[in-house]
PDB file of all heavy atoms in Angstrom:
ATOM      1  N   ALA A 113     -32.725  38.396 -12.662  1.00  0.00           N
ATOM      2  CA  ALA A 113     -34.128  38.020 -12.615  1.00  0.00           C
ATOM      3  C   ALA A 113     -34.424  37.111 -11.409  1.00  0.00           C
ATOM      4  O   ALA A 113     -35.399  37.354 -10.690  1.00  0.00           O
ATOM      5  CB  ALA A 113     -34.459  37.278 -13.915  1.00  0.00           C
ATOM      6  N   LEU A 114     -33.566  36.126 -11.198  1.00  0.00           N
ATOM      7  CA  LEU A 114     -33.832  35.214 -10.030  1.00  0.00           C
ATOM      8  C   LEU A 114     -33.745  35.914  -8.698  1.00  0.00           C
ATOM      9  O   LEU A 114     -34.566  35.637  -7.799  1.00  0.00           O
ATOM     10  CB  LEU A 114     -32.914  33.975 -10.106  1.00  0.00           C
ATOM     11  CG  LEU A 114     -33.213  32.921  -9.048  1.00  0.00           C
ATOM     12  CD1 LEU A 114     -34.649  32.344  -9.180  1.00  0.00           C
ATOM     13  CD2 LEU A 114     -32.189  31.756  -9.140  1.00  0.00           C
ATOM     14  N   LYS A 115     -32.838  36.809  -8.543  1.00  0.00           N
ATOM     15  CA  LYS A 115     -32.747  37.561  -7.285  1.00  0.00           C
ATOM     16  C   LYS A 115     -34.019  38.357  -7.051  1.00  0.00           C
ATOM     17  O   LYS A 115     -34.547  38.376  -5.944  1.00  0.00           O
ATOM     18  CB  LYS A 115     -31.565  38.523  -7.289  1.00  0.00           C
ATOM     19  CG  LYS A 115     -30.227  37.878  -7.044  1.00  0.00           C
ATOM     20  CD  LYS A 115     -29.085  38.848  -6.978  1.00  0.00           C
ATOM     21  CE  LYS A 115     -27.771  38.142  -6.678  1.00  0.00           C
ATOM     22  NZ  LYS A 115     -26.671  39.101  -6.606  1.00  0.00           N
ATOM     23  N   ARG A 116     -34.544  38.964  -8.056  1.00  0.00           N
ATOM     24  CA  ARG A 116     -35.823  39.720  -7.940  1.00  0.00           C
ATOM     25  C   ARG A 116     -36.986  38.808  -7.586  1.00  0.00           C
ATOM     26  O   ARG A 116     -37.842  39.100  -6.837  1.00  0.00           O
ATOM     27  CB  ARG A 116     -36.087  40.557  -9.210  1.00  0.00           C
ATOM     28  CG  ARG A 116     -37.345  41.382  -9.077  1.00  0.00           C
ATOM     29  CD  ARG A 116     -37.276  42.396  -7.921  1.00  0.00           C
ATOM     30  NE  ARG A 116     -38.479  43.191  -7.823  1.00  0.00           N
ATOM     31  CZ  ARG A 116     -39.444  42.937  -6.901  1.00  0.00           C
ATOM     32  NH1 ARG A 116     -39.314  41.898  -6.072  1.00  0.00           N
ATOM     33  NH2 ARG A 116     -40.478  43.671  -6.850  1.00  0.00           N
ATOM     34  N   ILE A 117     -36.974  37.655  -8.236  1.00  0.00           N
ATOM     35  CA  ILE A 117     -38.044  36.681  -8.005  1.00  0.00           C
ATOM     36  C   ILE A 117     -37.982  36.108  -6.608  1.00  0.00           C
ATOM     37  O   ILE A 117     -39.036  35.962  -5.956  1.00  0.00           O
ATOM     38  CB  ILE A 117     -37.980  35.553  -9.094  1.00  0.00           C
ATOM     39  CG1 ILE A 117     -38.449  36.148 -10.426  1.00  0.00           C
ATOM     40  CG2 ILE A 117     -38.759  34.320  -8.699  1.00  0.00           C
ATOM     41  CD1 ILE A 117     -38.126  35.331 -11.650  1.00  0.00           C
ATOM     42  N   LEU A 118     -36.766  35.841  -6.099  1.00  0.00           N
ATOM     43  CA  LEU A 118     -36.664  35.363  -4.748  1.00  0.00           C
ATOM     44  C   LEU A 118     -37.151  36.433  -3.762  1.00  0.00           C
ATOM     45  O   LEU A 118     -37.846  36.085  -2.792  1.00  0.00           O
ATOM     46  CB  LEU A 118     -35.189  35.009  -4.442  1.00  0.00           C
ATOM     47  CG  LEU A 118     -34.674  33.773  -5.169  1.00  0.00           C
ATOM     48  CD1 LEU A 118     -33.146  33.661  -5.006  1.00  0.00           C
ATOM     49  CD2 LEU A 118     -35.374  32.523  -4.655  1.00  0.00           C
ATOM     50  N   ARG A 119     -36.821  37.671  -3.988  1.00  0.00           N
ATOM     51  CA  ARG A 119     -37.321  38.725  -3.130  1.00  0.00           C
ATOM     52  C   ARG A 119     -38.838  38.783  -3.113  1.00  0.00           C
ATOM     53  O   ARG A 119     -39.501  38.865  -2.052  1.00  0.00           O
ATOM     54  CB  ARG A 119     -36.759  40.086  -3.599  1.00  0.00           C
ATOM     55  CG  ARG A 119     -37.038  41.193  -2.583  1.00  0.00           C
ATOM     56  CD  ARG A 119     -36.324  42.462  -2.953  1.00  0.00           C
ATOM     57  NE  ARG A 119     -37.287  43.418  -3.429  1.00  0.00           N
ATOM     58  CZ  ARG A 119     -37.076  44.358  -4.300  1.00  0.00           C
ATOM     59  NH1 ARG A 119     -35.877  44.486  -4.841  1.00  0.00           N
ATOM     60  NH2 ARG A 119     -38.039  45.169  -4.646  1.00  0.00           N
ATOM     61  N   PHE A 120     -39.455  38.680  -4.321  1.00  0.00           N
ATOM     62  CA  PHE A 120     -40.918  38.636  -4.380  1.00  0.00           C
ATOM     63  C   PHE A 120     -41.456  37.428  -3.640  1.00  0.00           C
ATOM     64  O   PHE A 120     -42.407  37.530  -2.851  1.00  0.00           O
ATOM     65  CB  PHE A 120     -41.363  38.593  -5.839  1.00  0.00           C
ATOM     66  CG  PHE A 120     -42.789  38.231  -6.009  1.00  0.00           C
ATOM     67  CD1 PHE A 120     -43.816  39.132  -5.728  1.00  0.00           C
ATOM     68  CD2 PHE A 120     -43.184  36.959  -6.393  1.00  0.00           C
ATOM     69  CE1 PHE A 120     -45.157  38.779  -5.823  1.00  0.00           C
ATOM     70  CE2 PHE A 120     -44.504  36.579  -6.497  1.00  0.00           C
ATOM     71  CZ  PHE A 120     -45.517  37.490  -6.254  1.00  0.00           C
ATOM     72  N   ALA A 121     -40.875  36.248  -3.844  1.00  0.00           N
ATOM     73  CA  ALA A 121     -41.415  35.025  -3.269  1.00  0.00           C
ATOM     74  C   ALA A 121     -41.359  35.099  -1.743  1.00  0.00           C
ATOM     75  O   ALA A 121     -42.366  34.765  -1.082  1.00  0.00           O
ATOM     76  CB  ALA A 121     -40.503  33.841  -3.730  1.00  0.00           C
ATOM     77  N   PHE A 122     -40.259  35.545  -1.185  1.00  0.00           N
ATOM     78  CA  PHE A 122     -40.123  35.565   0.301  1.00  0.00           C
ATOM     79  C   PHE A 122     -40.786  36.742   0.938  1.00  0.00           C
ATOM     80  O   PHE A 122     -41.347  36.640   2.021  1.00  0.00           O
ATOM     81  CB  PHE A 122     -38.667  35.519   0.683  1.00  0.00           C
ATOM     82  CG  PHE A 122     -37.991  34.227   0.348  1.00  0.00           C
ATOM     83  CD1 PHE A 122     -36.802  34.191  -0.424  1.00  0.00           C
ATOM     84  CD2 PHE A 122     -38.495  33.037   0.727  1.00  0.00           C
ATOM     85  CE1 PHE A 122     -36.190  32.991  -0.753  1.00  0.00           C
ATOM     86  CE2 PHE A 122     -37.879  31.793   0.406  1.00  0.00           C
ATOM     87  CZ  PHE A 122     -36.740  31.786  -0.345  1.00  0.00           C
ATOM     88  N   GLU A 123     -40.825  37.917   0.298  1.00  0.00           N
ATOM     89  CA  GLU A 123     -41.365  39.115   0.915  1.00  0.00           C
ATOM     90  C   GLU A 123     -42.891  39.260   0.649  1.00  0.00           C
ATOM     91  O   GLU A 123     -43.569  39.820   1.488  1.00  0.00           O
ATOM     92  CB  GLU A 123     -40.666  40.388   0.409  1.00  0.00           C
ATOM     93  CG  GLU A 123     -39.306  40.617   0.967  1.00  0.00           C
ATOM     94  CD  GLU A 123     -38.684  41.897   0.531  1.00  0.00           C
ATOM     95  OE1 GLU A 123     -39.300  42.640  -0.278  1.00  0.00           O
ATOM     96  OE2 GLU A 123     -37.538  42.157   0.905  1.00  0.00           O
ATOM     97  N   GLU A 124     -43.359  38.833  -0.509  1.00  0.00           N
ATOM     98  CA  GLU A 124     -44.690  39.140  -0.886  1.00  0.00           C
ATOM     99  C   GLU A 124     -45.598  37.924  -1.126  1.00  0.00           C
ATOM    100  O   GLU A 124     -46.830  38.101  -1.226  1.00  0.00           O
ATOM    101  CB  GLU A 124     -44.699  40.008  -2.165  1.00  0.00           C
ATOM    102  CG  GLU A 124     -43.923  41.294  -2.026  1.00  0.00           C
ATOM    103  CD  GLU A 124     -43.856  42.062  -3.332  1.00  0.00           C
ATOM    104  OE1 GLU A 124     -44.891  42.258  -3.992  1.00  0.00           O
ATOM    105  OE2 GLU A 124     -42.726  42.478  -3.691  1.00  0.00           O
ATOM    106  N   ASN A 125     -45.048  36.725  -1.265  1.00  0.00           N
ATOM    107  CA  ASN A 125     -45.904  35.602  -1.685  1.00  0.00           C
ATOM    108  C   ASN A 125     -45.816  34.465  -0.693  1.00  0.00           C
ATOM    109  O   ASN A 125     -46.173  33.323  -1.034  1.00  0.00           O
ATOM    110  CB  ASN A 125     -45.462  35.174  -3.085  1.00  0.00           C
ATOM    111  CG  ASN A 125     -46.496  34.275  -3.753  1.00  0.00           C
ATOM    112  OD1 ASN A 125     -47.673  34.380  -3.420  1.00  0.00           O
ATOM    113  ND2 ASN A 125     -46.067  33.464  -4.669  1.00  0.00           N
ATOM    114  N   SER A 126     -45.423  34.669   0.524  1.00  0.00           N
ATOM    115  CA  SER A 126     -45.497  33.701   1.575  1.00  0.00           C
ATOM    116  C   SER A 126     -44.762  32.376   1.227  1.00  0.00           C
ATOM    117  O   SER A 126     -45.208  31.280   1.660  1.00  0.00           O
ATOM    118  CB  SER A 126     -46.954  33.356   1.986  1.00  0.00           C
ATOM    119  OG  SER A 126     -47.598  34.488   2.371  1.00  0.00           O
ATOM    120  N   VAL A 127     -43.686  32.462   0.453  1.00  0.00           N
ATOM    121  CA  VAL A 127     -42.920  31.266   0.158  1.00  0.00           C
ATOM    122  C   VAL A 127     -41.924  31.064   1.293  1.00  0.00           C
ATOM    123  O   VAL A 127     -41.285  31.987   1.784  1.00  0.00           O
ATOM    124  CB  VAL A 127     -42.180  31.415  -1.199  1.00  0.00           C
ATOM    125  CG1 VAL A 127     -41.176  30.291  -1.421  1.00  0.00           C
ATOM    126  CG2 VAL A 127     -43.196  31.539  -2.352  1.00  0.00           C
TER     127      VAL A 127
END
Side-chain angles (χ1 to χ4, degrees):
L114 186 58
K115 281 183 178 181
R116 181 61 182 99
I117 287 163
L118 291 169
R119 189 171 109 210
F120 166 76
F122 293 127
E123 287 184 359
E124 301 175 50
N125 198 23
S126 303
V127 172

